[in-house]
Amino acid sequence: MTDEALALLRDLIRRDTTSGDSAAQAAAQELAVSYATATPGVRVLRRSTSGRPWVLVGTESGDGPLFVCHIDTVPVGSPALWERAPFSADVDEEFLHGRGSVDMKGGLAAALAALRNAAESGAGAQVLITSDEEIGCLGAVEASASLDLTPWIVVVPEATRNRVSLGHRGATWLRLTAKGKAAHGSTPQLGLNAIRLLADRALGALDSLPLAADDYLGEETVNVGTFEGGTAANIVPASAFLTLDVRTVDGGAPAIAWASSLDPAISAEVDLDLPAVRTPHLPGMLAGRATAPAATYFTDASALAGSVGGAPIVIWGPGDPRRMHAANEKLELDSWKQASRDYLELILSSAR
């Protein structure tokens, strides 16, 4: 079944499913569904009927592990930085090349291949395919409102070099907007410079942002992602905004409270607030597996944790995480094949 799975994976990589394009993501999901349901005993269990596309496929029994995979990718960036065409899906002796090969179409294809093999053995498993994960787990948020699942374990097949990670930090994205007063650039004293206001009261106060730490998830961090304001060099800017990406271990409430108290002329909006994910210890069914540190990125698990009946959640997938979002993204074929074998073993072990 490896040849069929590889053909599916290459077809998926040839499709541009950049976040935000719902039609392209839905079409790619249907390609994956057609592959999965070609095996007797695998069917569509639930799907989105409006909004962002998502689909749940699984065996008739519906028991067993749940694999959570997103179909979208980050943008290609500058094609000039790529040695091969970003959607080539070229294969050589060692790698499969292309945007999305590591993050995370490789993990999706490995999970679907394991699902098909499991169905032939009478074992149970499910695969949830989501959309727009890269811009805030938006498809998973919508899916969680319609799903009430009871898997033994949740596996997110993001790249970990096939080692088992027990969690990741959450993410709180804040948009801070400063309101100033326009004036001529030659008489700045008659205005209120919104850019300076943000720089002084927000950027200048970043060291006072309360950041916690966790013994496994690590330290909370903050990144200034964007800063915009002003219309011309000779006008005092009347407005400006910046965005902060706070990676959290204990929820976003402290960061939100800090941002809301900076200055009466600075408003704070929450663009995203996803909780951290942490499974306390390696689940028994994965005893003996190589473990990895906490993932540095967030996953759909943050949005789905409340819809899986308290099941342990792990991040466990093929590929080198350093190649995620990078130019010349490529997936080690041996790592990908190993992931599918690992997933099948997990499904079959939980069926015994």
Side-chain angles (χ1 to χ4, degrees):
M1 201 172 287
T2 300
D3 290 343
E4 289 182 73
L6 180 59
L8 168 70
L9 177 53
R10 297 185 71 191
D11 283 346
L12 291 175
I13 291 171
R14 291 187 185 106
R15 294 170 177 258
D16 181 354
T17 56
T18 301
S19 304
D21 189 338
S22 291
Q25 292 177 77
Q29 286 182 2
E30 290 310 303
L31 187 68
V33 167
S34 295
Y35 166 82
T37 56
T39 294
V42 178
R43 62 186 179 91
V44 173
L45 302 175
R46 294 286 299 276
R47 66 163 71 244
S48 171
T49 56
S50 62
R52 290 179 172 83
W54 58 267
V55 59
L56 179 69
V57 295
T59 55
E60 299 290 347
S61 68
D63 297 325
L66 169 67
F67 298 87
V68 178
C69 312
H70 66 86
I71 199 72
D72 62 310
T73 71
V74 295
V76 165
S78 172
L81 298 177
W82 290 72
E83 296 173 1
R84 301 172 186 243
F87 302 110
S88 67
D90 286 347
V91 175
D92 57 34
E93 291 184 358
E94 188 175 359
F95 294 101
L96 170 62
H97 300 260
R99 173 59 83 224
S101 56
V102 176
D103 187 13
M104 63 172 300
K105 292 175 179 177
L108 168 60
L112 291 174
L115 174 65
R116 284 179 39 155
N117 280 307
E120 293 178 348
S121 301
Q126 299 176 349
V127 177
L128 175 64
I129 311 174
T130 69
S131 60
D132 288 340
E133 185 265 359
E134 299 288 2
I135 54 177
C137 302
L138 303 181
V141 168
E142 294 192 15
S144 67
S146 301
L147 296 174
D148 185 12
L149 305 170
T150 55
W152 293 102
I153 188 172
V154 177
V155 176
V156 184
E158 297 273 14
T160 62
R161 295 196 189 95
N162 289 327
R163 298 183 298 163
V164 181
S165 175
L166 299 178
H168 55 73
R169 293 173 298 170
T172 300
W173 294 349
L174 300 171
R175 175 182 293 265
L176 306 185
T177 302
K179 291 185 177 181
K181 180 182 177 182
H184 197 284
S186 65
T187 55
Q189 70 277 10
L190 300 180
L192 176 61
N193 191 305
I195 292 177
R196 291 198 59 177
L197 180 62
L198 270 184
D200 293 344
R201 302 293 176 86
L203 295 185
L206 275 183
D207 288 344
S208 68
L209 174 63
L211 298 174
D214 179 87
D215 59 354
Y216 179 71
L217 299 179
E219 297 181 350
E220 294 184 333
T221 59
V222 59
N223 176 62
V224 182
T226 62
F227 196 134
E228 297 182 24
T231 56
N234 59 348
I235 301 175
V236 175
S239 64
F241 76 88
L242 64 80
T243 57
L244 299 177
D245 177 0
V246 187
R247 299 302 169 105
T248 64
V249 301
D250 194 27
I256 295 169
W258 171 86
S260 300
S261 64
L262 290 172
D263 190 280
I266 298 176
S267 62
E269 297 180 35
V270 181
D271 287 342
L272 180 72
D273 192 23
L274 295 173
V277 172
R278 182 174 181 184
T279 294
H281 51 78
L282 194 66
M285 62 191 71
L286 292 176
R289 295 283 179 182
T291 57
T296 58
Y297 44 81
F298 64 74
T299 75
D300 278 334
S302 287
L304 291 163
S307 303
V308 294
I313 299 172
V314 298
I315 300 91
W316 180 31
D320 185 340
R322 294 175 299 181
R323 294 195 171 102
M324 301 169 71
H325 299 193
N328 301 309
E329 184 177 351
K330 57 185 178 180
L331 173 65
E332 298 90 341
L333 290 171
D334 285 347
S335 177
W336 174 68
K337 293 173 184 177
Q338 183 61 53
S340 191
R341 291 193 293 267
D342 288 343
Y343 298 159
L344 178 59
E345 182 178 342
L346 176 69
I347 297 169
L348 297 179
S349 69
S350 65
R352 296 187 188 117

